[in-house]
Amino acid sequence: MKRHLFAALTVFSLAGLAVIGLTADKNPHGKIQWACEDCHTAKSWSKLRSPLKFAHNETGFALVGAHKAAACIGCHKTPVFSRVAVACADCHTDVHKGQMGIACQNCHTTENWQNRQDILTLHAQKGFPLTGVHATADCEACHRGQAREEFANTAADCYSCHQSQFISAKNPDHVQGGFSHDCSSCHTSSFWVPANFDHARTRFALTGAHRTVACASCHVTGYAGTAADCYSCHQNNFAAAQSPNHVQNNFNHDCTQCHTTTAWTPARFDHSQTRFPLTGAHLRTACVACHATGYTGLPLNCYGCHQGDYAATTNPNHSAAGFSTDCQTCHTTSAWVPSSWNHDAQYFPIYSGSHKGRWTTCADCHVVPSNFAVFECINCHAHDKATMDAKHAGRQGYQYASTACYNCHPRGTH
């Protein structure tokens, strides 16, 4: 209606001027520097020229943004164009009621009244920087319980706005756990979840598989006074372990001696730190193979575990020959057979030279099972005594006996 009234007043005023003659002091628009024909035509005084020759930026107030589409009467309430203010608050009602100052342009632009990019700087100056999702949230999301657009006396702590999230949180249960109301100790303004609680700052840094375990798995009774030792959480694993049996063998409750947080199995007990370092085939042997009777008071010598191997060996017969029970004399931890006994280097070449492949068992030469110092050459070398006596006539120390043969032929050669 105002627009129609303004148009009617304009037509009425200009029609009168057309009769009495237009003068500067009678111009309904006041003193202006533009000619009537810049805006009006001879065809119709009320219908303005399109496009206007008049340029609004020549007035010192360029029309930009949403102002370009605004009706003239929206700002010019009277035909006298000079009677108009240039401050935003003169045209736009201050819904903030002076709380934000009178410079609307600090938060708004002419492009869009709702553009609040500059409010980020203003908010930071007020002591609550808008970061993360706070930067895109509607003002009313935090400034609640007040008249619209009034922002004074709004609490700056997280809990005041996020109390419902605090109460509804179940993993972990914040209320039951007596968590601090300082949400920023675990959460950021970017995302409410996942939380970023730094467990490393506690007495129990989370490593390995602990990083993916649900909080409630360890904090079953709450978050205060939770034990920091492994056994408190892994007592069931300890009791269920059978290879070896942890309970029966009275194992230490310090699980870290054998296990890591990466995985409960396999264990990594460092046998090298004991009096019996594991080497060779022992590295692949199941614990219970040696610790059949437990983990305390075990012998450290080979015979303690390998007595059965010792007794079962018949080539040569260890028991009959009364061999030393110091298995390391002939065997290594790499394999029980073949033995490391070096017959060729220490006594007589049977794996090389003319005797290689000429015998089957130790008993071929060592005819007395209980005494390997006794050996026979003549059993294989079927020489008759008469021939050997004649052939060795005049040889000092000659006897028709195996020991004499060895004395002259220690390497089995002529």
Side-chain angles (χ1 to χ4, degrees), residues 40 53 72 92 112 158 166 190 258 284 317 380:
H40 302 279
K53 293 183 179 181
C72 303
H92 299 280
N112 187 328
C158 309
F166 182 95
S190 297
C258 302
R284 303 183 298 275
N317 190 314
C380 292

Side-chain angles (χ1 to χ4, degrees), residues 10 16 65 75-76 96 122 142 156 176 182 202 256 281 283 352 371 396:
T10 301
C75 296
H76 298 282
H96 308 308
L122 180 63
C142 296
Q176 181 183 1
D182 180 11
T202 70
T256 60
L283 292 170
S352 60
N371 188 356
Q396 185 177 2

Side-chain angles (χ1 to χ4, degrees), residues 311-329:
T313 303
T314 58
N315 184 33
N317 190 314
H318 288 29
S319 298
F323 278 15
S324 169
T325 56
D326 183 7
C327 306
Q328 297 180 82
T329 304

Side-chain angles (χ1 to χ4, degrees), residues 280-354:
H282 288 161
L283 292 170
R284 303 183 298 275
T285 304
C287 304
V288 71
C290 295
H291 296 279
T293 59
Y295 287 79
T296 58
L298 291 179
L300 300 178
N301 61 78
C302 308
Y303 186 73
C305 278
H306 292 281
Q307 185 175 353
D309 300 286
Y310 178 95
T313 303
T314 58
N315 184 33
N317 190 314
H318 288 29
S319 298
F323 278 15
S324 169
T325 56
D326 183 7
C327 306
Q328 297 180 82
T329 304
C330 302
H331 302 276
T332 67
T333 59
S334 296
W336 186 255
V337 290
S339 69
S340 61
W341 172 257
N342 195 336
H343 203 289
D344 289 25
Q346 297 183 53
Y347 293 97
F348 190 81
I350 59 174
Y351 296 102
S352 60
S354 60

Side-chain angles (χ1 to χ4, degrees), residues 187-337:
H187 302 275
T188 68
S189 61
S190 297
F191 301 98
W192 184 257
V193 289
N196 66 343
F197 175 70
D198 188 1
H199 220 286
R201 295 180 179 177
T202 70
R203 295 181 301 150
F204 194 92
L206 296 183
T207 59
H210 287 160
R211 293 180 179 274
T212 58
V213 174
C215 305
S217 297
C218 296
H219 299 282
V220 291
T221 59
Y223 289 81
T226 302
D229 64 285
C230 309
Y231 184 75
S232 295
C233 277
H234 293 282
Q235 186 173 353
N236 290 338
N237 303 92
F238 183 95
Q242 297 297 321
S243 180
N245 188 309
H246 290 27
V247 177
Q248 180 181 343
N249 292 293
N250 195 30
F251 275 19
N252 192 311
H253 287 177
D254 181 7
C255 307
T256 60
Q257 290 185 352
C258 302
H259 303 275
T260 68
T261 59
T262 303
W264 185 256
T265 56
R268 58 157 183 78
F269 176 69
D270 189 359
H271 221 287
S272 64
Q273 300 301 313
T274 70
R275 292 184 298 160
F276 193 92
L278 297 182
T279 59
H282 288 161
L283 292 170
R284 303 183 298 275
T285 304
C287 304
V288 71
C290 295
H291 296 279
T293 59
Y295 287 79
T296 58
L298 291 179
L300 300 178
N301 61 78
C302 308
Y303 186 73
C305 278
H306 292 281
Q307 185 175 353
D309 300 286
Y310 178 95
T313 303
T314 58
N315 184 33
N317 190 314
H318 288 29
S319 298
F323 278 15
S324 169
T325 56
D326 183 7
C327 306
Q328 297 180 82
T329 304
C330 302
H331 302 276
T332 67
T333 59
S334 296
W336 186 255
V337 290

